[in-house]
Amino acid sequence: MNAVAASVGVALRGRLVLGVAVGAGFLALLLGLLALTGRDPLTVAWTMASYGFLDPNGRAETVVRAIPLCLMGLGVAIAFRAGAFNIGADGQLIAGSALAMAAVPFLVGLPGWIGAAAFLLVAAAGGGAWGGVAGWLRARFGANEIIVTIMLNYVALQLLSWLIRGPMQERMRMLPRSDALPVPFRLPVVLDGTRIHAGVWIALAATVLLALVLRRTVFGYRLDMVGRNPAAARVGGIGDRGVVVAAMLVGGALCGLAGAVEIAGLHFRLQEGIAVGYGITAIAIALLARTEPLAVPVAAVALAALYVGGAAVQRQFAVPFPTVKMVEGLIVFAFLAFVALRRPGARGG
Amino acid sequence: MEAAILIGLLASGVRFAVPLALAALGETVSQRAGVLNVGIEGVMLIGALAAVLCAVWTGSPWLGLLGAIVAGVLFASIHALFAVILKADQIVSGIALFLLGIGLSGFVFRLTLGSGGRPPGQVPGFRPLDLGPLGEIPFAGPVLFQHNALVYLTVVAVAAVAFLLARTGWGLSLRAAGENPEAVRAAGLDATRLRVVAVLVGGGFAGAGGAFLSIAQLNGFVENMVAGRGFIAIACVVFGRWNPVGAVLVALAFGMTEAAQIRLQILYPALPHQFFVMLPYVAAIVALVLMRARSGQPAALGR
Amino acid sequence: MTPVVRLAGVTRRFGSLTAVDGLDLDLAAGEVVALLGENGAGKSTVVNMLSGALPPDAGTIAVDGRPVAFAGPAQALAAGIGTVHQHYMLVPAFTVVENVMLGDPRTPRGLLDLRAAAARVEAIASDLGLALDPFAPVGSLDVAGQQRVEIVKALSRDVRVLLLDEPTAVLARPDAERLFAVVDRLKARGTAVLLITHKLDDVFRAADRVVILRRGRVEGRHRTADVDRDTLVRLMVGEAMPAPTAEGPHEAATGAPVVRVEGVELRRANGSLAAAEISFEARPGEILAIAGVEGNGQGELIRCLAGLERPARGRIECLGLRSDLPHRWTPRALRRAGLAHVPEDRRRDAVVGSATLPDNHLLSHSFRRPFARSGLIRRGPALAAVRAAIGRFAVRTPGERARIAALSGGNQQKLVLARELEAAPKVLLAAQPTRGLDIQTTAFVRGLLLEERRRGTAVILVSADLGEIWDLADRILVLGGGRGHGPFDRRRTTREEIGAHMVSR
């Protein structure tokens, strides 16, 4: 018994030491890169890491940004779970937002919150279709979903560009954007003095719901098994292709929902820049959360804070904004290094 | 008149094809050794930026190209470390490489050229070669013989890679590493090393592809300028059935699509140009859908 | 005379398990030594240490009297030790000559001269009395042909010691006989051969001496001429000999057939013909065995029967479902109708290694009560079923909720069987259900199959082991030479007849 406890202790300590070592290595790398800006790297890094948590304004902005990131992170995570790589969250967000905005004229007659709910549902349907297509092409034709989802991102971007300069442009025809979303469809601010809107409840509800679905339902179980071993799942009578399509569909729906929430809570219009590369960040979030839904909001808040901190750094020190993307890449590699080195016998062999 | 349009289309199609062809060539080498690198988009970005920086710094496009290749190799070495040596998931590592490539290229760009750096016009770029009488052959001259040196180097590279993979001992070992790394080890070779080399070669080609975009086509760097070409290059590899010549021919088809969409925009000004811009991306999806049978795929790809 | 290879006190541990414990072994030129033992006796570890894949923890390996420490297979090959692994280390997409050239230090890094190399391959092959087309793709060869490539590949490196790891495991008897003819020639040439096997026939046919390994320790050394079968079996298995399981065939089953296969043609994933003209019926309460050398369509047939594929031609009827009707020929539809399937490749097709035991139990029941109800998955009943299986089948596991990958292959197989028998199947497909299991577990699994037959299940058993088929089957279908033969009534046929069909061209 003591021997077991001791070896567990050693393993835990080993894991800790490893984590610290990997973390320190990557931190040093980051500080080195930041030093290239000619500013004090420690100050820059500290501001970037802390502003989104410690500054009151920063805190509120972190939550605002975490809302779409959480929903998209969930959307990417559920596909990862089923063994599909959805890196087209941006396109799904656009497809959902555009469809929902196009549906608004048909929804204005609906009473009260039903219209707002329908707006969100249409967005989910649009995003789901965009993601589901990629899933279906993989299941039916073996088309690599990584490339297909990325290509669909570019297609969606072009569609958006056309819509807001063509059929969906505002009546004034001034700027490339749609008319404003009527007030009844908008999500209320939930914390006065901030931009935090009711989307935060939607994101949290989606998180809990997805966690329950994955844990308790037959669909969630099948998804998990297909992701871990599609061949065995097929032999066991689980239609792995259908599961992959469904996972991509649900994932796309969550991304589409994220778009509607962004519009209804923040932008109120369809315009370019509603999806400023969040899809890429959503991948980092899903990986860091190890595809566990309950961990997604945590990872989303962390990376949202990085965005907010990055913006603050840019304002204060004129350090370029893509720092955030770079840090995201470094974080994912640090995570990979940790996972790979922890695995026994990873080296050599 | 129509001949002029056709000549222009084919000539610019060749130029659009080169970055795809270079990246696809590198990805072919990497995948034939069994390593999938979905992050070559990021490598191309790094190469594109490095090319501009080195060209501006040294004043020579050739040193710009060299810088891009070196940067591509170095950047791909991250993938080699994680996906091959540490045996992390190849796809996840590739996606992380993509992320890091976007971030790092944007970061360094803003640090160097972006904030009051040189305007794109002053970047020393590759100019079309004067091949004398060859360039004056009707039709074939403008289509084939009025390009810059990189275009011809790409042709040489295709032949070289095809020869190396198919006919040499090195190619045999490399392909074996993509088919059955255990067999390679049992035969007394170092499969890991072979794969690392393949990933680095792939990175060098992707870097060169990025360099073509920045110092032979645009003469400057713009954030995210690769615009999905790295992923299209992977589609070229798949549709070219993992054969270097096949991949490059598919890249040529994509280059033509890209050239055609620009001309179609002008020919049909009434139609929204966005639908033409979409064409290469839609074509990539169609190519993947049409490519049903996986024959030619290295058996140990991704493992 | 100095032995070519001498192992002295060689030990290798994996965690708390000592796989090989203080092994002493000499190999002289022109001698064939058999290393005999069960699965898990430590034979493969010996192979891995001698072939340079694994360093020993203690003890020395000496070649020509000089101690060596191999850092990898290249050094073992350079020292003159070649290995034919149980799972061939070949590149199926390459030709024979390409496989032979791979990794040879004499192969240039530059331009290859395939014609010269092919001449060498032909010279080595004809020297051994083997027929081998140097330009044939290895993937197109049958297992015996691939083994010939492995042997030629090893000999092309001018080895003086050849390790043959379970070389007859997947060979039909005539092919095994051809292999031993090669071994005889090698012996005559002065090559030392270490024959790793668990088959007594191999030992008596080819070996001069036999070393018996059990649980990593040497249990005995004998000259083959001075020892009998019973002694070897006793040394190999130890005291705990399982009771024989064979019951012999029953009365012919007479119920209405539940599986009907009519004129089925099977194609491999690459489109080539695996086997044609297969027709048989399976009735409740019988064991129908499918015999044949591996790779003659057994895998494809089972995949079709399990609903994973449809036959290229002909049709299958199973429990009221038909393979030629659209949409209904799926694993789930068949399982709902009463099919159970124990796949051959356990790690790929039967278990989800990173999932818990209850989740693995749910794998083939995610669509039926009590494991799924109104869209919810129920792990309670799954846990109860796992608990019952652990008790009834004496499964050794770190816990009821452990990841299944933490269990040994035999224990995993018991749980797979428990899962597949859970819903009282009417048809049981069992593909190589005892492969890789120790003798006790093998006996247990065979007992389960017989029990299912008594219960009235139609059992379709695929086995490469004719002995197993002889012990269990009522009727035997043979796949060989690209077609189906039979089925034959086990009581009215002979091993010779079955064997002849297996190798028919």
Side-chain angles (χ1 to χ4, degrees):
Chain A
M1 210 55 226
N2 274 340
V4 173
S7 63
V8 168
V10 168
L12 279 180
R13 222 173 306 141
R15 193 185 278 213
L16 194 67
V17 168
L18 185 62
V20 169
V22 170
F26 276 87
L27 194 63
L29 193 60
L30 177 64
L31 290 177
L33 284 166
L34 290 177
L36 294 176
T37 63
R39 313 293 188 284
D40 173 19
L42 279 174
T43 319
V44 172
W46 172 246
T47 308
M48 188 146 76
S50 67
Y51 181 84
F53 292 115
L54 300 183
D55 183 274
N57 292 329
R59 232 172 358 229
E61 275 310 293
T62 297
V63 175
V64 170
R65 284 194 182 251
I67 293 169
L69 287 177
C70 174
L71 286 167
M72 294 170 87
L74 291 173
V76 175
I78 187 177
F80 277 12
R81 267 221 172 189
F85 287 87
N86 175 13
I87 54 180
D90 284 329
Q92 291 144 24
L93 179 144
I94 292 172
S97 317
L99 192 68
M101 284 305 270
V104 165
F106 305 99
L107 304 175
V108 278
L110 293 173
W113 58 271
I114 296 180
F119 178 76
L120 297 177
L121 282 179
V122 170
W130 212 248
V133 163
W136 181 74
L137 290 178
R138 169 176 139 157
R140 178 74 182 74
F141 301 103
N144 182 319
E145 77 281 5
I146 298 176
I147 301 171
V148 170
T149 49
I150 275 272
M151 294 297 118
L152 285 176
N153 271 356
Y154 289 101
V155 173
L157 274 172
Q158 293 304 320
L159 275 179
L160 175 68
S161 159
W162 168 61
L163 286 172
I164 57 179
R165 289 177 179 83
M168 288 178 74
Q169 194 177 16
E170 59 179 351
R171 263 172 227 123
M172 306 269 292
R173 301 260 163 207
M174 297 281 287
L175 296 171
R177 61 181 194 183
S178 73
D179 280 323
L181 184 69
V183 176
F185 292 95
R186 298 185 186 180
L187 294 169
V189 166
V190 294
L191 198 62
D192 288 336
T194 69
R195 301 202 294 165
I196 302 177
H197 52 81
V200 74
W201 304 127
I202 296 176
L204 288 178
T207 303
V208 174
L209 194 65
L210 195 65
L212 281 175
V213 164
L214 286 180
R215 243 161 252 185
R216 296 269 179 246
T217 66
V218 171
F219 171 66
Y221 168 78
R222 289 183 177 160
L223 191 100
D224 209 23
M225 292 303 119
V226 168
R228 291 168 191 267
N229 186 347
R234 195 178 316 145
V235 170
I238 298 173
D240 60 317
R241 294 175 173 194
V243 167
V244 167
V245 176
M248 288 294 289
L249 203 128
V250 173
L254 284 162
C255 297
L257 183 63
V261 166
E262 275 293 88
I263 289 180
L266 211 57
H267 302 299
F268 309 130
R269 289 176 196 274
L270 191 63
Q271 59 196 20
E272 266 157 2
I274 48 168
V276 278
Y278 280 5
I280 301 293
T281 308
I283 298 166
I285 290 171
L287 289 175
L288 291 181
R290 308 200 72 171
T291 72
E292 166 53 50
L294 293 181
V296 166
V298 181
V301 165
L303 287 188
L306 198 61
Y307 262 93
V308 174
V313 162
Q314 189 164 16
R315 279 195 307 275
Q316 290 176 20
F317 306 100
V319 170
F321 185 69
T323 326
V324 177
K325 284 270 170 291
M326 191 175 69
V327 175
E328 277 170 24
L330 285 179
I331 288 177
V332 175
F333 273 122
F335 163 80
L336 272 183
F338 180 69
V339 172
L341 292 174
R342 205 185 65 199
R343 201 173 48 221
R347 272 169 293 185
Chain B
M1 179 59 206
E2 278 183 7
I5 291 178
L6 188 63
I7 287 170
L9 171 74
L10 295 177
S12 91
V14 169
R15 280 191 293 275
F16 276 117
V18 167
L20 287 174
L22 285 170
L25 208 52
E27 183 73 8
T28 303
V29 173
S30 175
Q31 292 201 11
R32 284 303 283 269
V35 187
L36 181 65
N37 184 355
V38 296
I40 48 172
E41 174 94 3
V43 185
M44 289 177 82
L45 276 167
I46 295 289
L49 178 65
V52 173
L53 290 178
C54 290
V56 168
W57 183 42
T58 62
S60 152
W62 288 104
L63 289 173
L65 174 67
L66 185 68
I69 293 172
V70 170
V73 169
L74 285 178
F75 197 61
S77 70
I78 303 175
H79 190 57
L81 172 67
F82 280 86
V84 182
I85 295 172
L86 293 176
K87 297 186 171 54
D89 188 296
Q90 292 186 3
I91 291 177
V92 176
S93 171
I95 290 175
L97 198 70
F98 169 46
L99 283 183
L100 191 61
I102 296 177
L104 193 61
S105 63
F107 176 76
V108 176
F109 168 65
R110 299 252 184 121
L111 270 186
T112 49
L113 302 165
S115 46
R118 283 176 186 235
Q122 293 178 8
V123 176
F126 283 96
R127 305 262 167 270
L129 295 181
D130 182 6
L131 293 176
L134 278 179
E136 273 138 46
I137 304 174
F139 198 78
V143 173
L144 297 177
F145 301 114
Q146 292 183 8
H147 296 294
N148 64 53
L150 268 184
V151 175
Y152 305 108
L153 271 185
T154 304
V155 176
V156 174
V158 178
V161 168
F163 175 80
L164 282 171
L165 278 179
R167 296 287 170 82
T168 67
W170 180 76
L172 184 76
S173 312
L174 196 99
R175 285 184 284 131
E179 294 285 346
N180 187 352
E182 287 80 31
V184 171
R185 270 177 217 117
L189 293 169
D190 187 343
T192 303
R193 205 169 97 185
L194 287 162
R195 286 183 159 200
V196 166
V197 170
V199 171
L200 299 185
V201 169
F205 274 111
F212 190 92
L213 287 174
S214 67
I215 58 173
Q217 235 168 30
L218 191 73
N219 280 345
F221 182 85
V222 178
E223 276 177 61
N224 255 329
M225 66 183 291
V226 179
R229 289 185 183 85
F231 293 95
I232 294 182
I234 301 174
C236 292
V237 175
V238 175
F239 202 69
R241 292 184 187 257
W242 290 269
N243 177 320
V245 178
V248 168
L249 289 178
V250 178
L252 195 61
F254 274 108
M256 293 297 166
T257 313
E258 219 171 324
Q261 69 91 357
I262 290 172
R263 279 158 183 78
L264 287 172
Q265 288 182 36
I266 300 163
L267 279 175
Y268 300 97
L271 291 174
H273 70 274
Q274 288 92 345
F275 286 89
F276 298 112
V277 180
M278 270 178 220
L279 273 178
Y281 304 115
V282 175
I285 296 176
V286 171
L288 288 175
V289 167
L290 290 179
M291 177 66 198
R292 294 293 306 273
R294 302 270 128 180
S295 62
Q297 175 168 346
L301 178 63
R303 284 191 284 115
Chain C
M1 196 177 83
T2 328
V4 192
V5 173
R6 162 166 282 173
L7 279 70
V10 165
T11 300
R12 174 73 206 198
R13 296 180 198 89
F14 297 99
S16 59
L17 174 88
T18 305
V20 175
D21 193 358
L23 174 67
D24 299 323
L25 184 71
D26 284 356
L27 264 176
E31 184 186 37
V32 179
V33 175
L35 191 61
L36 179 72
E38 272 204 82
N39 288 305
K43 294 173 299 182
S44 299
T45 308
V46 175
V47 174
N48 286 334
M49 288 190 291
L50 275 172
S51 64
L54 208 64
D57 292 324
T60 53
I61 301 174
V63 177
D64 296 329
R66 279 188 302 276
V68 289
F70 301 139
Q75 293 177 6
L77 282 163
I81 302 177
T83 309
V84 175
H85 290 274
Q86 184 179 1
H87 302 288
Y88 303 147
M89 295 293 182
L90 296 170
V91 179
F94 283 9
T95 60
V96 170
V97 62
E98 284 175 326
N99 267 287
V100 171
M101 291 173 91
L102 181 65
D104 192 322
R106 286 162 302 189
T107 302
R109 307 193 70 185
L111 188 63
L112 293 175
D113 187 351
L114 288 173
R115 216 167 297 160
R120 247 172 72 77
V121 168
E122 273 174 332
I124 296 168
S126 70
D127 198 29
L128 293 172
L130 295 174
L132 204 54
D133 172 8
F135 293 108
V138 161
S140 72
L141 303 176
D142 62 9
V143 278
Q146 296 191 0
Q147 188 177 62
R148 289 197 283 275
V149 179
E150 277 282 37
I151 293 170
V152 168
K153 187 176 139 189
L155 294 177
S156 78
R157 303 281 192 100
D158 299 328
V159 297
R160 289 166 302 144
V161 180
L162 189 65
L163 312 181
L164 297 171
D165 189 2
E166 298 283 5
T168 59
V170 293
L171 295 187
R173 207 63 223 173
D175 283 325
E177 189 42 52
R178 276 191 276 272
L179 167 73
F180 290 130
V182 171
V183 170
D184 291 341
R185 286 203 189 202
L186 287 171
K187 186 177 150 179
R189 276 177 18 174
T191 309
V193 177
L194 183 63
L195 175 68
I196 293 98
T197 186
H198 69 280
K199 292 187 180 172
L200 298 177
D201 289 347
D202 296 355
V203 176
F204 286 108
R205 164 61 183 85
D208 303 310
R209 293 191 291 127
V210 53
V211 175
I212 304 98
L213 210 58
R214 176 151 54 93
R215 293 187 183 162
R217 306 181 76 106
V218 173
E219 290 294 324
R221 301 165 190 276
H222 293 279
R223 299 206 62 81
T224 325
D226 309 337
V227 70
D228 59 54
R229 282 177 170 265
D230 291 344
T231 314
L232 288 184
V233 171
R234 197 168 33 74
L235 291 170
M236 199 164 106
V237 193
E239 300 309 315
M241 275 282 286
T245 51
E247 295 188 356
H250 277 191
E251 299 300 306
T254 51
V258 283
V259 179
R260 187 177 283 132
V261 174
E262 290 170 16
V264 157
E265 179 180 309
L266 303 163
R267 293 197 170 265
R268 298 192 181 87
N270 62 15
S272 66
L273 180 76
E277 301 167 49
I278 303 169
S279 297
F280 64 87
E281 291 174 344
R283 297 166 197 279
E286 73 167 342
I287 296 183
L288 178 98
I290 295 166
V293 178
E294 266 184 67
N296 273 284
Q298 296 93 325
E300 288 78 9
L301 179 57
I302 285 287
R303 289 182 69 78
C304 284
L305 287 168
L308 294 157
E309 277 159 31
R310 290 165 199 262
R313 251 188 228 164
R315 70 169 189 178
I316 305 175
E317 266 184 71
C318 179
L319 299 164
L321 298 172
R322 278 169 54 183
S323 69
D324 52 352
L325 296 183
H327 303 309
R328 290 278 287 154
W329 195 253
T330 63
R332 192 186 302 177
L334 284 159
R335 283 178 177 278
R336 271 188 203 280
L339 178 98
H341 176 197
V342 178
E344 174 180 347
D345 188 336
R346 186 167 48 241
R347 265 178 47 185
R348 192 189 68 193
D349 292 333
V351 302
V352 178
S354 63
T356 62
L357 303 190
D359 275 8
N360 270 285
H361 195 83
L362 288 165
L363 198 62
S364 30
H365 304 299
S366 70
F367 44 83
R368 71 176 135 224
R369 293 176 172 228
F371 302 106
R373 215 164 61 190
S374 38
L376 299 181
I377 197 85
R378 299 178 69 220
R379 290 190 171 80
L383 185 62
V386 165
R387 195 172 290 152
I390 291 173
R392 195 157 74 90
F393 292 1
V395 176
R396 289 182 57 186
T397 168
E400 291 164 348
R401 291 189 182 83
R403 291 179 170 199
I404 202 164
L407 276 63
S408 73
N411 285 306
Q412 289 183 13
Q413 187 74 340
K414 286 178 180 175
L415 287 170
V416 169
L417 277 155
R419 172 180 87 205
E420 295 303 323
L421 301 179
E422 171 84 43
K426 300 191 181 83
V427 175
L428 173 63
L429 307 177
Q432 310 280 10
T434 61
R435 167 169 297 175
L437 305 185
D438 61 37
I439 287 190
Q440 273 88 359
T441 316
T442 298
F444 176 81
V445 170
R446 289 180 180 180
L448 276 180
L449 295 181
L450 292 169
E451 202 180 302
E452 280 302 303
R453 176 175 70 170
R454 269 194 298 278
R455 205 175 57 75
T457 310
V459 180
I460 297 179
L461 166 74
V462 172
S463 181
D465 178 353
L466 204 48
E468 175 165 277
I469 287 177
W470 223 252
D471 283 352
L472 298 176
D474 298 300
R475 291 189 301 140
I476 303 167
L477 176 87
V478 187
L479 295 183
R483 55 177 295 244
H485 310 266
F488 305 95
D489 190 324
R490 146 83 170 77
R491 288 169 300 182
R492 298 196 186 88
T493 184
T494 58
R495 285 190 184 225
E496 286 66 36
E497 185 185 11
I498 299 295
H501 286 303
M502 281 167 73
V503 294
S504 68
R505 298 287 164 199

